[in-house]
Amino acid sequence: DEPLLAADDEGAVTGVRVYGTRWWVLFQLSLLTFNQSLFWITFSPVTDNAKLYYGVDNNTVTWWMNIGVAAAFLTFLVTSKYLAARGSGLKTVCTASVLAQAFAMVLRLVPVWIGGKQFGPKSSFGIAIVYVAQFIVGAIGPMVMAAPPLLSNVWFPAHERPLATAVGTLCNNMGSAGGFLLGPLLVKNPSDMPLLLYTHAGIAIMNAVLMLAYFPSAPPMPPSHSAGSDRVEATAQAGGEGSFGGVWAVVTNVNFMTIALGFGVLNGVFNVWSGSFDEILPPLGSQYDQVTCGWLGFGSTMALIVGGICTGFITDKPAWSRSFALLLRIGAAATFAVMVLFTIAMPTYFSKEPFVSLPFPVVATLIVMSGFTIGCCTPIAYEAAAEMTFPAPESTSANVIVLILNLASFVYLFVTPPLIDSDVLNIVISGCGFLAMVLVFFTNVKYVRSDYEKALDRPGSVRSVNRLKTP
């Protein structure tokens, strides 16, 4: 906890300090992002038992999950405004999110507590309550998914930021993987559904208690020069006056938008595609039953997390700290190659028989590798975005990526299936990989934030970002 640089009284050169409590703060945010995904996917892993417990059909259970994607659009601008607020923005958004999440989990228990034909789980009231609760969970998504890059800048020194961003971001994916384990573990028959709901409520309440007990908005002294700078005025000058000037400054940054579109679309489509193996894989043979498809989806998600943590560690090293463009190009090319191999091993619009017949171990490997290669790109994309859009808050660039991600998921879920034959959907994910590869090839990653920090390390530097313009 010793200062890395002394500060003078006028603040010409800022003092920076790294605090051990940064890991506790990161843990709390990671738990929040984990829970958001865990609660969002509640009913999908236990669809059959959920249908019997609530007396609904497959379509209703699907909508309980998908309504969260639609809800995410409503909180985009609100998240951008409050996360960007200097000082208390991060704490305000995280506290509001954890309380809303706890409320939603308790709300789902109301029909269980009341019971009866009019207000029980199978009643219109009980089904509507689940819709409301799942809507709330979905609306929280952009808040918690955009927060990790901001928290990593507020609490972590430059050489730890990529890893912190990776952990906070990928815990959201880990929540989905956890849901596929916890749900079937607790729910063996319809009467076990309340046990799962009580467990989720307990986890949500614990998360809320921990965050309310200790979740400071920022450390007493910043861990880096960029964290200690006042970027509000500079961002407004770059993007225009008003609460959302920072958003405009970000979306008009061409280099940022190539990464946001490429990897936002790829991640959004992948999230839905990797949860649809029970529809995609059965044409290959009876060995691809529902249980096997579930485990393949779990393996793909875990590989995504491992890939992100690996690149987080790599880009923490000085030798790779300015290699974002190279790593993104390698990751996008690898993703495209894996997706093409998987697509030609499946029935397509052009042929009802696969172009290449691959054994189960090879198909499983391709599925796992698809998650790993996309995971390798995810934290780098967020960190590259933060670098290029400085002095805009890290949460603003992350929020734009999250918006594009949710929009891509929405289109893939609701627009593509009615218009395009299911045999084309694998070609769509391959096309997304190609799009990301092409866009990142033309991206010029500019390390504006890092250059600003290095400039301030020189003696006599003036601590000001007002002279900066978002490229």
Side-chain angles (χ1 to χ4, degrees):
D1 285 0
E2 293 186 0
L4 303 179
L5 186 66
D8 63 20
D9 293 337
E10 297 179 357
V13 178
T14 184
V16 295
R17 184 190 296 266
V18 178
Y19 296 85
T21 50
R22 67 191 185 280
W23 298 108
W24 173 250
V25 175
L26 176 62
F27 165 75
Q28 291 196 73
L29 177 62
S30 298
L31 181 60
L32 178 60
T33 61
F34 177 93
N35 288 342
Q36 190 275 333
S37 187
L38 174 70
F39 301 153
W40 169 68
I41 206 169
T42 297
F43 302 103
S44 182
V46 291
T47 297
D48 292 339
N49 287 316
K51 288 192 303 183
L52 293 173
Y53 182 73
Y54 286 99
V56 296
D57 56 15
N58 269 318
N59 188 54
T60 300
V61 176
T62 301
W63 265 103
W64 282 343
M65 185 174 73
N66 294 343
I67 196 173
V69 178
F73 295 111
L74 301 180
T75 52
F76 166 69
L77 289 178
V78 175
T79 303
S80 297
K81 177 179 179 179
Y82 286 101
L83 271 178
R86 182 167 172 79
S88 61
L90 181 64
K91 181 176 182 178
T92 298
V93 169
C94 289
T95 302
S97 298
V98 78
L99 289 175
Q101 201 162 256
F103 171 76
M105 292 304 97
V106 173
L107 184 65
R108 293 196 310 194
L109 287 169
V110 171
V112 179
W113 293 337
I114 298 177
K117 292 184 178 180
Q118 288 187 320
F119 300 103
K122 292 185 178 180
S123 67
S124 298
F125 171 80
I127 295 170
I129 285 292
V130 176
Y131 269 113
V132 172
Q134 294 303 106
F135 184 89
I136 294 172
V137 171
I140 294 168
M143 302 183 188
V144 301
M145 293 171 70
L150 177 61
L151 182 140
S152 69
N153 187 70
V154 170
W155 280 93
F156 287 82
H159 68 278
E160 292 179 349
R161 284 194 300 240
L163 179 59
T165 297
V167 171
T169 302
L170 296 172
C171 273
N172 193 254
N173 299 93
M174 191 179 292
S176 296
F180 277 100
L181 293 179
L182 182 63
L185 180 66
L186 296 181
V187 181
K188 305 298 184 182
N189 53 68
S191 63
D192 293 331
M193 279 302 303
L195 176 60
L196 180 61
L197 300 181
Y198 274 111
T199 301
H200 283 181
I203 294 172
I205 292 171
M206 179 194 70
N207 193 182
V209 170
L210 290 176
M211 190 163 284
L212 291 174
Y214 184 75
F215 189 83
S217 56
M221 292 179 66
S224 65
H225 296 301
S226 63
S229 61
D230 187 350
R231 297 185 253 170
V232 175
E233 182 180 347
T235 304
Q237 289 175 356
E241 299 297 329
S243 300
F244 307 113
V247 176
W248 180 250
V250 165
V251 299
T252 53
N253 184 320
V254 176
N255 283 311
F256 161 73
M257 286 305 296
T258 57
I259 285 182
L261 285 171
F263 291 98
V265 170
L266 179 59
N267 274 273
V269 173
F270 176 81
N271 287 346
V272 180
W273 175 82
S274 62
S276 305
F277 290 141
D278 57 340
E279 300 175 13
I280 295 172
L281 295 175
L284 293 181
S286 58
Q287 69 268 36
Y288 296 96
D289 56 24
Q290 187 170 359
V291 174
T292 301
C293 291
W295 277 109
L296 289 173
F298 175 79
S300 178
T301 301
M302 293 307 298
L304 183 147
I305 295 166
V306 171
I309 298 299
C310 287
T311 52
F313 274 114
I314 291 172
T315 50
D316 272 353
K317 308 302 179 185
W320 293 92
S321 61
R322 297 176 76 92
S323 301
F324 291 165
L326 173 63
L327 294 172
L328 286 174
R329 287 164 186 161
I330 294 173
T335 299
F336 175 61
V338 170
M339 291 303 183
V340 169
L341 288 173
F342 179 84
T343 299
I344 64 176
M346 297 292 300
T348 66
Y349 177 79
F350 306 102
S351 173
K352 295 303 178 183
E353 295 295 327
F355 287 103
V356 178
S357 181
L358 298 177
F360 175 82
V362 177
V363 173
T365 300
L366 289 174
I367 289 173
V368 171
M369 285 302 299
S370 68
F372 181 80
T373 55
I374 290 179
C376 287
C377 297
T378 300
I380 305 177
Y382 281 105
E383 281 298 297
E387 288 283 347
M388 292 187 294
T389 59
F390 184 84
E394 290 76 10
S395 59
T396 303
S397 59
N399 210 21
V400 172
I401 295 176
V402 171
L403 177 66
I404 295 172
L405 185 155
N406 280 298
L407 180 60
S409 297
F410 180 85
V411 171
Y412 193 78
L413 278 170
F414 301 113
V415 178
T416 305
L419 300 179
I420 300 178
D421 190 274
S422 60
D423 293 337
V424 184
L425 296 182
N426 290 319
I427 298 176
V428 172
I429 187 71
S430 297
C432 292
F434 179 75
L435 174 67
M437 183 177 65
V438 171
L439 289 177
V440 76
F441 179 80
F442 292 103
T443 300
N444 180 19
V445 177
K446 298 180 179 179
Y447 298 87
V448 182
R449 183 177 63 179
S450 294
D451 290 341
Y452 169 76
E453 292 174 335
K454 286 185 177 180
L456 286 182
D457 282 335
R458 294 193 291 267
S461 299
V462 178
R463 179 174 170 264
S464 174
V465 293
N466 293 334
R467 67 181 186 276
L468 289 175
K469 291 185 178 179
T470 306

Short mmCIF file of all heavy atoms in Angstrom, two decimals, residues 112 143 231 306 364 367 407:
data_model
loop_
_atom_site.label_atom_id
_atom_site.label_comp_id
_atom_site.label_asym_id
_atom_site.label_seq_id
_atom_site.Cartn_x
_atom_site.Cartn_y
_atom_site.Cartn_z
N VAL A 112 -44.98 -18.80 -4.38
CA VAL A 112 -44.71 -20.00 -3.58
C VAL A 112 -45.28 -19.82 -2.18
O VAL A 112 -45.88 -20.74 -1.60
CB VAL A 112 -43.20 -20.29 -3.52
CG1 VAL A 112 -42.91 -21.53 -2.65
CG2 VAL A 112 -42.63 -20.47 -4.92
N MET A 143 -25.76 -2.98 -16.77
CA MET A 143 -25.11 -2.30 -15.65
C MET A 143 -23.90 -3.08 -15.16
O MET A 143 -22.81 -2.54 -14.99
CB MET A 143 -26.10 -2.10 -14.50
CG MET A 143 -27.34 -1.31 -14.87
SD MET A 143 -28.42 -1.05 -13.43
CE MET A 143 -29.85 -0.32 -14.21
N ARG A 231 -12.03 13.62 -16.11
CA ARG A 231 -12.24 13.49 -17.55
C ARG A 231 -13.59 14.03 -18.00
O ARG A 231 -13.92 13.94 -19.18
CB ARG A 231 -12.13 12.03 -17.95
CG ARG A 231 -10.76 11.46 -17.70
CD ARG A 231 -10.70 10.06 -18.24
NE ARG A 231 -10.70 9.08 -17.17
CZ ARG A 231 -10.84 7.79 -17.35
NH1 ARG A 231 -11.01 7.31 -18.55
NH2 ARG A 231 -10.83 6.96 -16.34
N VAL A 306 -11.55 -19.65 -19.52
CA VAL A 306 -10.11 -19.96 -19.47
C VAL A 306 -9.35 -19.11 -20.49
O VAL A 306 -8.28 -18.55 -20.18
CB VAL A 306 -9.87 -21.45 -19.72
CG1 VAL A 306 -8.37 -21.74 -19.88
CG2 VAL A 306 -10.43 -22.29 -18.59
N ALA A 364 -16.67 -32.19 -30.53
CA ALA A 364 -16.60 -31.64 -29.17
C ALA A 364 -15.40 -30.70 -29.03
O ALA A 364 -15.51 -29.62 -28.39
CB ALA A 364 -16.49 -32.78 -28.15
N ILE A 367 -16.17 -27.37 -30.64
CA ILE A 367 -17.08 -26.58 -29.81
C ILE A 367 -16.33 -25.92 -28.66
O ILE A 367 -16.51 -24.72 -28.37
CB ILE A 367 -18.23 -27.47 -29.28
CG1 ILE A 367 -19.17 -27.85 -30.43
CG2 ILE A 367 -19.00 -26.77 -28.17
CD1 ILE A 367 -20.22 -28.84 -30.05
N LEU A 407 -28.06 -6.50 -28.87
CA LEU A 407 -28.80 -6.33 -30.13
C LEU A 407 -28.57 -7.53 -31.05
O LEU A 407 -29.52 -8.04 -31.66
CB LEU A 407 -28.35 -5.05 -30.82
CG LEU A 407 -29.02 -4.72 -32.16
CD1 LEU A 407 -30.52 -4.57 -31.97
CD2 LEU A 407 -28.43 -3.46 -32.78
#
